[in-house]
Amino acid sequence: TKGGSRMNLKNIWSKLKYSHFIRLVRDGISKTGIMIAPIYLVEERLHEGISPEIKGDPHEYTIEYLTNEDMPVIAALPIRKINVEKLVTQLEQGQKCLGMKCNGELAAFIWIDREKCNLSGCGFKLNDNEAYLFDAYTMEKYRGRGLAPYLRYECYKRLAEEGRTFIFSAVDVFNRPALKVLNKLNARKLELWMRIFFFKKRHIVFHLKRYHFGDDTFSAVRA
């Protein structure tokens, strides 16, 4: 249909606008059943002197933990292949989704796991002072307003109130917008991994590099 064609063209343009060329090539190769995914494991935390700001009126926005009622909105997002039932299950298993709404409309969200880094092939159990952030997303109509770093930093503050001051996440090496946000928040790369998936059934993982720092915030061996 004409409406479907316009939506597909819009999705393609969004990919071209926000994605690295190599990432687009990689996504094309994935249609053969092979997905190549180089990722950074990143450490995030509160830093003094950082105070992300929203472009526009901040009073239009609220930040809250999302519930089952919000999951259909997330499941309906284009390109993302995930159903409501899986999202609800994530909530039931103890994961949280921190959302940012503009006048009641969902504008951005980020998922939190307090039990484990759930990254396939590179996961590890979390300690009581740690958390793992994943699946951060900003609705296209709200991009360019600085919502992603603002929400992420609010997430840091809420987790710090729970005593969780060491925060991990993973980011695709070619995901330029995500890397830009993390750089603004003074996040630092811990490790570089290469994951290769075969027809969504099997995968192999290569550890390529570990970045060294003066403090010992990340153990080389995780459970």
Side-chain angles (χ1 to χ4, degrees), residues 8-25:
N8 288 334
L9 288 173
K10 185 178 180 180
N11 293 339
I12 291 171
W13 169 244
S14 179
K15 278 193 170 186
L16 291 172
K17 184 177 180 181
Y18 296 107
S19 296
H20 192 288
F21 173 74
I22 296 177
R23 190 183 184 194
L24 295 175
V25 173

Side-chain angles (χ1 to χ4, degrees), residues 23-97:
R23 190 183 184 194
L24 295 175
V25 173
R26 188 268 312 276
D27 290 348
I29 294 174
S30 71
K31 297 185 184 302
T32 67
I34 300 174
M35 168 63 80
I36 301 171
I39 60 161
Y40 294 118
L41 179 66
V42 176
E43 182 200 65
E44 308 177 50
R45 64 170 81 177
L46 282 170
H47 288 281
E48 292 184 7
I50 294 180
S51 182
E53 295 183 354
I54 298 172
K55 294 180 181 178
D57 184 1
H59 297 97
E60 294 182 344
Y61 298 90
T62 57
I63 296 178
E64 61 192 61
Y65 285 111
L66 303 183
T67 66
N68 292 2
E69 287 69 29
D70 298 295
M71 296 303 104
V73 177
I74 297 178
L77 291 171
I79 302 176
R80 299 162 52 88
K81 296 179 180 180
I82 188 167
N83 57 46
V84 175
E85 291 73 20
K86 185 178 188 303
L87 294 171
V88 170
T89 298
Q90 288 180 188
L91 293 176
E92 292 174 347
Q93 290 175 344
Q95 296 175 356
K96 299 288 186 180
C97 187

Side-chain angles (χ1 to χ4, degrees), residues 110-133:
I110 187 168
W111 283 85
I112 307 164
D113 197 321
R114 294 167 171 82
E115 299 295 325
K116 62 184 181 301
C117 166
N118 57 42
L119 185 65
S120 178
C122 313
F124 53 86
K125 182 178 174 59
L126 295 171
N127 296 320
D128 292 339
N129 63 341
E130 297 173 338
Y132 176 70
L133 305 183

